Amino acid sequence: MAKKAARKTQYWLFKSEPNSYSIDDLAKEKKQTTFWDGVRNYQARNMLRDDIQVGDQVFFYHSNAMPMAIVGTAKVVKAGYADHTAFDKKAKHYDQKSNPDEPTWMMVDIQLIQKFEAPVTRDDLKAESKLAEMMLLRKGSRLSIQPVTAAEWKLIHKMAGVKP
């Protein structure tokens, strides 16, 4: 019987507005773990459902902030499952069209790995020529969940002054 090849860790960037949910909020959570809910874009949903797996690594990015920046890392501890906030009329991310029997929206659970001592700002990222093709920096790229290459992962850790 053939052994299944080990899956390579994938890298991601998850955006969050810090006034809504920040890395400091994650640090305060029990076991520094939370579910990543509220994604309401089909392309990002598909990544949560189909691509992001336990063990994958995540950059935590503060968007709509001054400055916008990668502020730390987390790891995926539970793969894609139905976003229960879509079914809760009292929830911020309620979706009246969503059906618990055939969920439209997905989420994953993440756990904090580290908060960067010094955030890596969007301007820092733009100034690094080796990151010119990074999805985050592409014009019109607004997805709240984005893939990151292994090379980008390593370089950004170096810019933050920490080991990946």
Side-chain angles (χ1 to χ4, degrees):
M1 181 168 13
K3 272 190 169 181
K4 190 175 180 180
R7 182 183 168 278
K8 283 188 177 180
T9 298
Q10 294 185 94
Y11 304 99
W12 305 93
L13 181 139
F14 286 15
K15 292 181 182 178
S16 183
E17 295 180 8
N19 63 348
S20 177
Y21 193 84
S22 72
I23 197 162
D24 290 329
D25 294 323
L26 177 57
K28 294 175 190 171
E29 296 282 354
K30 184 178 182 181
K31 298 183 182 179
Q32 297 183 322
T33 302
T34 193
F35 51 84
W36 199 266
D37 67 319
V39 174
R40 299 295 183 263
N41 171 284
Y42 288 100
Q43 188 176 355
R45 182 271 324 258
N46 292 349
M47 286 184 265
L48 289 168
R49 183 189 66 202
D50 303 332
D51 302 324
I52 300 171
Q53 298 296 319
V54 171
D56 284 355
Q57 305 287 299
V58 174
F59 279 132
F60 197 117
Y61 182 82
H62 282 172
S63 63
N64 198 18
M66 292 304 284
M68 293 184 284
I70 297 173
V71 294
T73 59
K75 64 181 174 183
V76 176
V77 294
K78 184 174 181 182
Y81 62 100
D83 181 343
H84 58 80
T85 67
F87 317 127
D88 181 354
K89 290 181 181 180
K90 295 177 186 169
K92 183 178 178 180
H93 302 292
Y94 172 67
D95 177 3
Q96 67 181 13
K97 295 178 184 175
S98 201
N99 175 353
D101 295 327
E102 294 180 38
T104 303
W105 306 113
M106 306 299 285
M107 61 184 172
V108 298
D109 289 358
I110 63 167
Q111 182 176 53
L112 181 67
I113 293 174
Q114 66 183 325
K115 180 179 171 183
F116 291 163
E117 193 171 308
V120 180
T121 69
R122 185 177 179 89
D123 288 342
D124 294 336
L125 298 170
K126 287 170 121 178
E128 175 51 68
S129 62
K130 293 177 184 171
L131 296 174
E133 296 300 314
M134 186 175 186
M135 182 180 278
L136 177 69
L137 303 177
R138 292 182 193 159
K139 190 172 185 156
S141 179
R142 298 181 42 91
L143 285 176
S144 63
I145 305 285
Q146 301 179 1
V148 172
T149 68
E152 292 165 347
W153 183 261
K154 288 176 188 169
L155 179 55
I156 292 167
H157 275 84
K158 184 177 179 183
M159 293 170 72
V162 296
K163 291 186 178 187

